[in-house]
Structure formats: C-alpha cells, structure tokens
Amino acid sequence: MIIFLADDVGYGDLKSYGHPTQEWGPIDDLAEEGMKFTSLYSTSSLCSPSRAALLTGRLPIRIGVYGKYRVFNPPSPNGLPKEEITLPEILRDVGYATGMVGKWHLGINDYTPMSGVHLPHYHGFDWVGTNLPFTNVWVCDETKKHMDAPDPSMCFMYDNETIIQQPFSHQHLTKTFVDEASTFIKQQTEKDKPFFLYLSFAHNHVAMFTGKDTKFTSKRGIYGAGIRELSWGVGEIMKKIKSLGIDNNTLVFFTSDNGGHIELCNEGGNNGILKGGKANYYEGGIRVPGILRWPGQISAGTINSNIVSQMDMFTTFVNLAGGETPSDRVIDGRDITQQILGSMKLKNESKTEKRILFFYCNDMLFAVRYGSYKVHFYTMPVKNKEEYADACGEGGFPNTMYFNCYYCPSECVIKHDPPLIFNVDADPGEEYQLDPALHELLLLEVKYLLEKHNSGLIKGEDLLSAYNQPSQPCCDSSKPSCSCNYP
C-alpha cells in the first residue's frame, strides 16, 4: 500500500484533471489505469489538520489539531497526540512494514529544541527516511528571487530524528525522497513482507523548485516544472513496483493535502473551475485531485463522482489489510471498499448520495457538503482573478507571500444567517446562490444532522495556539544563525 501525498496541488493542476497546458505525466497515467475521484475532499484547507485526518480517519477538531495558527509551526511544543491511533500503527499490528519519507508537518519537539517527540517514528512508522518535519515555505527560497537567503529557523531537514541540514537544499530533495522510498520497497519485497509507504512530497508548496537531478521545465513555468518533477517521482516508484513484480499486489493512492494557493500568482496552484483556494472553504480550498490504482481489482479508467473524504482511505486501507478500526473513539472515515472494488457499477451513476461532510476552520464550522449541496455558515472573501492579478508582477510573478484572509475568527470572516447555499453538482464554481426560502427542507435536514453530529462531538484540546521558543529546532545552539551542513 502506498499513499502519495502532494502539497498544495489544486484540483485543476494536472493534465488528467483538465489543465490545458500542463504536460502529461505518470500521475495522469495512474488516472488512466485506475479510478479518478471528482468529489474527493480534504478535511481542511491547510496542511496540518488535513494530514492529521488522513492518518487517523478523524476530524481535526476531535484530535485537537486546531487553534490560533491553524498549523503546527516550528516553535510549537505540540504535535499529533500519542493517543491517536494512526494508519501505520494499525497496519504494523497486522504485519506490515511501515515507512515514511517527505513532509510531516504534524509536530516536532515539546519543550527542548532536539527532543523530537512528535516526529513520525513515534506514530507508527518503523522506518523514516529524509523528512521535512515542518514544510517547505516561501522563506526557504534558494533562487534569490524572493529571499536573499533561506531562513534557517523555518527550513530544516531531518534523517529520521536527526537534523542533517539547516537550512535545507532543494537540489536533490525529490530524488532523495524517491531513492530512499525505492530502497524501502525493495527491502520489504525481498523479505516477502507487505508494506505501507507514505511518500509525502514537498511539491508544489512554495518555495518553487526543481532539482539538479531532473532539471524539468514546463510551458507553465516554474510551477508546471514542479508538477512535472512531482509526477516524475511518482513514476519512478511505479517503475520500481513493476520491476519487482508486485504491481498487481500494490494499492496506490495519490492526492493533495488541500487546494492551490491562488494568491501566489503563477507560483500558486490552479483549482480549475472551483472557487477559492488554500486557507478558505470554498470548493477550491478542499476539493482535491484523488486517484486510486490497483490492477486487477480497480477497473481502469473509472470515474468516481461520489462524495468521498480523504478520511475514508484510513478505514478502507485498514479493512483491505485485514485490520480493525478503533472501537473506542469516533472514526469519521467510511469504508469505501465496495465502491472501489465494484467500480464497474460507478460508470452510469447520475445521482449524488446524501452524505454529509463537515468542514471546520479551527473550531468554527464553516461549511458542510450534503448531497448535491454546499451550505456555508461562514466564508472568507475571495477576489476575482483580475483582482489577484493586480498584486502580481510581470508575467504573474508573485511579489509577496500572503493570504487574502487566513485566521478564524478574524475581521475578514463573514457570517451567514441564513447560510449560503450552492448546488455544487450543477454549479461547482459556487457562483449562483440558492434562495434559502426555497430550500427550507434542505436546511432542516442539515440542522438535524448537525445536531446529531454535535451531540457526539468531543473536541480535542487546542494544539495549534501554543508558542514556545525553546521548542524551535536547532542543529547547533552555539551558532546564532543555527545553520549546519548547508551546501
């Protein structure tokens, strides 16, 4: 089993999802060879909460992955709680080797700069290779187009639990992830041991990059080149699987943690016809590409238009591996085994199931998707494309890193009473509001389901508001700049 997780890749960024100029790549091959989801949702429009939900099958509000900053920052003393049971922990218990390489973003240290108590090794991954415990961000730029030099306080790379570069270099980053992941797969295959690999790419989060090893270019510019390198990485792993003769025994899932960052001009993602993007809860922030591939089990070229949550992969993977989901807590992810293994039946479906998904910004319920409808209780203002373009430089060059609206609550957040209603089957771009007076039954159904949801909701402790400077990772505290092994 493999999960390929991209970073900030929007719904419209891939050729197979309709981008007119993005080059075709191995990710698009996955879509041709497997099942493409058209209504797959992340639980959050930002990294940490969505990743926590993917690995636990639970809403971030239940886990406590919410709070002031909305993500785990380097000085945070908190991380994914040890009490949470992760997908790799369950798979390990049923005999799988578990490995992880790439971006983590679910916590690092507690109250000292090198404790590492929240790193992936402590959450079910027996092997952890090169990883970014925080992320790749704007201030990690090495091109000198945006920054004179990378900021060591925000840009660091680990090998399992040890800092190996601060700041880190992008030059061999993707190839390193791929090479180490390939070795892990080969080793487990030689042992005839089932494995779970979580390969979490740095692409396509700013700062934009392509490595010296690949030197990709694109008609789209640096962003498109990053998509090509991301796709190349997926392709290299698929080649390894095929060369080892385990292609038909390997379930692969590709997705993105949230939508594209549209404020960043041509260095941000493309969310296609969807409104909004990263940080907000219009469709462009949370509706993401998703592909499942399993030769002989999942019909090639299948389109799945059902409402699906990334949390469903937790429950589905556990079921397929012969494990059991925890019975002592609420698991929000559904088992969609019958959907994917009965994929031939999906081709002629024309009705949307009345499933409800809840979308929180911190502990504020912003919106729900219910059947064909999206109901917004709060929104963040979204500019039109021309307004965003006004803040860009020549040819769409981003002059600064920003969000039009980010914090919740904040002055930019708009409350809606009655709520905004859109039919996102007929109007996926959320352009045409429906009259609440004509949809009273819909709102009554949503109210009932919300009351049911709230009656069983136990919020986890806020983990994203704490700030503790001594938790800041530092490879050598004797150096004021905390810089080590930078090429």
Side-chain angles (χ1 to χ4, degrees), residues 235-291:
E236 291 300 294
I237 297 299
M238 298 310 297
K239 287 180 185 177
K240 175 60 67 173
I241 289 169
K242 292 172 183 176
S243 71
L244 292 170
I246 58 172
D247 190 33
N248 289 344
N249 297 327
T250 305
L251 173 62
V252 169
F253 177 53
F254 170 85
T255 191
S256 177
D257 59 353
N258 48 252
H261 191 164
I262 55 178
E263 288 89 344
L264 294 184
C265 313
N266 279 348
E267 292 188 17
N270 186 307
N271 299 315
I273 65 171
L274 306 181
K275 185 175 184 177
K278 181 176 180 177
N280 64 62
Y281 286 84
Y282 286 107
E283 292 288 278
I286 50 177
R287 195 166 177 172
V288 292
I291 302 166

Side-chain angles (χ1 to χ4, degrees), residues 446-463:
V446 168
K447 180 182 178 183
Y448 168 76
L449 292 169
L450 283 179
E451 289 173 349
K452 184 178 179 181
H453 169 71
N454 288 330
S455 69
L457 179 62
I458 300 174
K459 290 167 54 176
E461 179 185 354
D462 170 357
L463 298 174

Side-chain angles (χ1 to χ4, degrees), residues 74 108 134-135 137 139-141 147 149-158 163 165-168 469 472-476 479-486:
I108 308 171
F134 177 45
T135 185
V137 288
V139 295
C140 298
D141 175 51
M147 308 290 298
D151 180 354
S153 71
M154 301 287 280
C155 312
F156 35 84
M157 179 194 294
Y158 280 48
I163 296 182
Q165 283 186 15
Q166 188 173 10
F168 65 84
Q469 189 57 41
Q472 171 70 46
C474 181
C475 59
D476 186 350
K479 296 180 179 179
S481 64
C482 226
S483 181
C484 306
N485 302 318
Y486 184 66

Side-chain angles (χ1 to χ4, degrees), residues 14 64 76 94 99 114 171 207 222 249 281 346 352 369 384 422 444 454 483:
L14 302 172
S76 171
V94 293
M114 299 298 288
Q171 295 306 318
I222 186 63
N249 297 327
Y281 286 84
L346 293 171
T352 299
R369 169 79 195 260
N384 61 43
F422 298 94
L444 283 173
N454 288 330
S483 181

Side-chain angles (χ1 to χ4, degrees), residues 287-343:
R287 195 166 177 172
V288 292
I291 302 166
L292 274 173
R293 179 188 182 274
W294 190 5
Q297 302 294 329
I298 296 175
S299 301
T302 306
I303 304 297
N304 187 331
S305 58
N306 289 312
I307 299 173
V308 176
S309 169
Q310 289 179 344
M311 295 184 293
D312 297 344
M313 299 305 158
F314 172 90
T315 310
T316 303
F317 276 42
V318 168
N319 176 60
L320 290 170
E324 294 184 5
T325 56
S327 58
D328 62 344
R329 64 200 65 197
V330 175
I331 299 296
D332 297 290
R334 285 186 179 184
D335 182 1
I336 61 167
T337 300
Q338 293 307 311
Q339 275 190 43
I340 62 175
L341 298 188
S343 54

Side-chain angles (χ1 to χ4, degrees), residues 116-130:
V117 297
H118 301 303
L119 292 170
H121 178 72
Y122 296 98
H123 292 283
F125 291 105
D126 292 325
W127 169 80
V128 181
T130 299

